Amino acid sequence: MRLPVVGELNLAAKLLGLFGLAVTAVALLALLLPFARMQALIDAGQRETARALYEAWSMLPADENAPRPEAIGDAAVLSLDIPALRVGSREDWRLAEILRRAEDPRRNEQGEAISEVFLNDWQDWAKRYTYARIARDGNGRATRVVVLERTSEQAASEAAINSLFLLSAGVLVLAVAMTTFWIITGRLILRPVKKLRLWAESVGDGNIDERVELTTGDEFQQLAETFNATLDQLEERERTLQSINIAMDVRLNELAEVNEALDNAARLKSEFLAGVSHELRTPLNSIIGFAELLLDIARKEAKQSHQAPENAERARADHAAALAKRTRYLENIVEGSRGLLELIEGLLEMARIEAGKSEINRELLNPVDACRGMIGLAEPLAGRNGVTLELDARPEVPLIETDPRKFQQIVFNLVTNAIKFTGPEGSDGKPGRVLVRVERVPGESGTPRVRVCVIDNGPGIAPEDQQAIFDRFSQLESGHQRRHGGVGLGLAICRDLSSLLQAELQLVSEAGQGAMFSVLFPLRLDDSQIEQTRLEARFRGALNRQGG
Ligand code: ADP
């Protein structure tokens, strides 16, 4: 962008033009006085010469027969009485002027009338000087006039040379003044102004982070500093506005997300309820179905006990068969009830965590003892599934500050999962085996932690499924897992409980290679993180509800 030049002239041209005019006027005025004085000096010299010639002429003897000559030196002499002067004055302005002065009645301080007239004018390229001497009678009346006329080319050329000198002096003064002025204004005014102009154009083009550097130590520097400070403020304000805008964008996005979440909430809630009620109905139907069968058997037995047995042998066989059936049905009822309880407990735990209401009851815990306890609890399940369950407690495992119930819940979930999914024969062809290892490990930043690993030789989990299994109600769709029941909440709960306990849950596995779930517990809980984690859990809960 170029700044418009006002009135077609830029500042430099205007300054130079105006200053040039001013200097010319001053030089003319200054030279006028010496010029006039010079002219006056030349004229005075000429008057003196004319006067001397007149004096010489008047001293010449004269009488009626031999009048004085009509020339002396280079001057022509004309002696006129007043009537002759009057006649001559009609044709010659000089004679008219001489007559006017001769008849002028004024007197000087000494009471003398005008006796001398000196006139000069140009005659082609020469100067003509006219000198008149007026003779008066006793009453002061003019009687006669002697006029001397000289023409001097030398006086004219002297005047011309003097004028030329004066003119040259004027031009020289003008040139020096203009050059000095140009250099001074260029340095002091035009250069900083040009710098400011270029900078203003650049800022106008959008380079607002550019600053102008002026070290003139005068008002221009102050101006530049003021401009820079103003730009700094502008930039600061722009930054603030930008960050406010970004914050508003983020807020708007959050609001849009919350809006979307609310929109989805009703639909997701009904979907969630439908899913959960399906999971509830399956074990309940099984419990009711088998309980009814048991009831049937009980009624039949009651009926038979009222009839006299004709064949005791057959009755005993029937009774044995009925007992076997009853045991199977009761087992089914117990299994269904356990599943139901597991589901309800899982849902309650999940709801507590997501509502941010899961309290942390810190205690000092011996991780090895706690794991041993959980292994004891899982032993019956391991026995039923034909899995060997072992504890590998490494030396020097320290006590940890944590919530013991949540710690045990995590370990128990991982151990029961490993037992359920491994079964009597491992994927390596060896008998099913689950190992719980407890050890002290150095943390990333050097702070030690306690790691609990649950290692099995079961079917393993393919890398692409490893993310999904931590989602709620997520189960892998292969046959053996469906066979083991469960509702897909265990690992989601483990993940949330681990983050509440500031622990890290990791999985290392390959399909067909067994699995290793490990949890890294800190030795101490960080107070500042507890509230943060609870908020995060609540936030994740909201997201989960969005995603179903
Ligand atoms: P549930 O056990 O009720 O199915 P979880 O959330 O505990 O739910 O587990 C989710 C899924 O992760 C399981 O259905 C199973 O497919 C997979 N899984 C969990 N633990 C193991 C394991 N040790 N080996 C192989 N698969 C596992």
Side-chain angles (χ1 to χ4, degrees), residues 209-283:
D209 48 353
E210 202 170 298
R211 296 290 177 270
V212 60
E213 284 292 328
L214 277 183
T215 47
T216 51
D218 54 18
E219 283 83 347
F220 280 116
Q221 186 174 340
Q222 287 175 3
L223 197 65
E225 283 166 5
T226 312
F227 280 152
N228 287 343
T230 311
L231 266 192
D232 284 346
Q233 284 175 1
L234 268 180
E235 242 186 346
E236 184 57 43
R237 268 184 217 154
E238 199 175 283
R239 267 200 293 276
T240 318
L241 271 178
Q242 268 174 2
S243 52
I244 290 174
N245 271 351
I246 292 171
M248 275 177 70
D249 280 352
V250 170
R251 201 85 197 97
L252 271 179
N253 281 346
E254 282 174 10
L255 279 174
E257 278 170 18
V258 170
N259 234 0
E260 208 181 310
L262 285 173
D263 276 353
N264 286 334
R267 182 176 56 82
L268 295 172
K269 197 169 137 195
S270 50
E271 279 176 21
F272 177 74
L273 283 176
V276 171
S277 52
H278 171 77
E279 299 297 339
L280 285 170
R281 206 176 294 127
T282 315

Side-chain angles (χ1 to χ4, degrees), residues 342 414 417-418 420-422 456 459-461 469 471 474-476 480-481 485-492 515 517:
E342 188 191 331
L414 295 177
N417 267 359
K420 275 190 305 183
F421 297 114
T422 301
D456 65 56
I461 303 145
I469 56 167
D471 292 342
S474 147
Q475 292 177 305
L476 300 182
H480 74 273
Q481 277 147 346
V487 289
L489 277 177
L491 286 180
F517 285 88

Side-chain angles (χ1 to χ4, degrees), residues 101-114:
R101 304 242 192 131
E103 290 182 338
D104 194 337
R106 281 178 294 181
R107 299 280 184 274
N108 65 13
E109 279 170 6
Q110 285 80 42
E112 295 163 352
I114 299 169

Side-chain angles (χ1 to χ4, degrees), residues 322-342:
L323 262 181
K325 264 189 192 172
R326 203 182 296 171
T327 312
R328 211 170 59 243
Y329 293 165
L330 280 170
E331 277 171 4
N332 288 342
I333 289 174
V334 170
E335 199 180 309
S337 309
R338 277 209 189 107
L340 200 59
L341 187 65
E342 188 191 331

Side-chain angles (χ1 to χ4, degrees), residues 19-27 168-180:
F19 184 75
L21 279 178
V23 171
T24 313
V26 169
S168 312
V171 170
L172 194 69
V173 166
L174 190 67
V176 171
M178 293 291 279
T179 314
T180 318

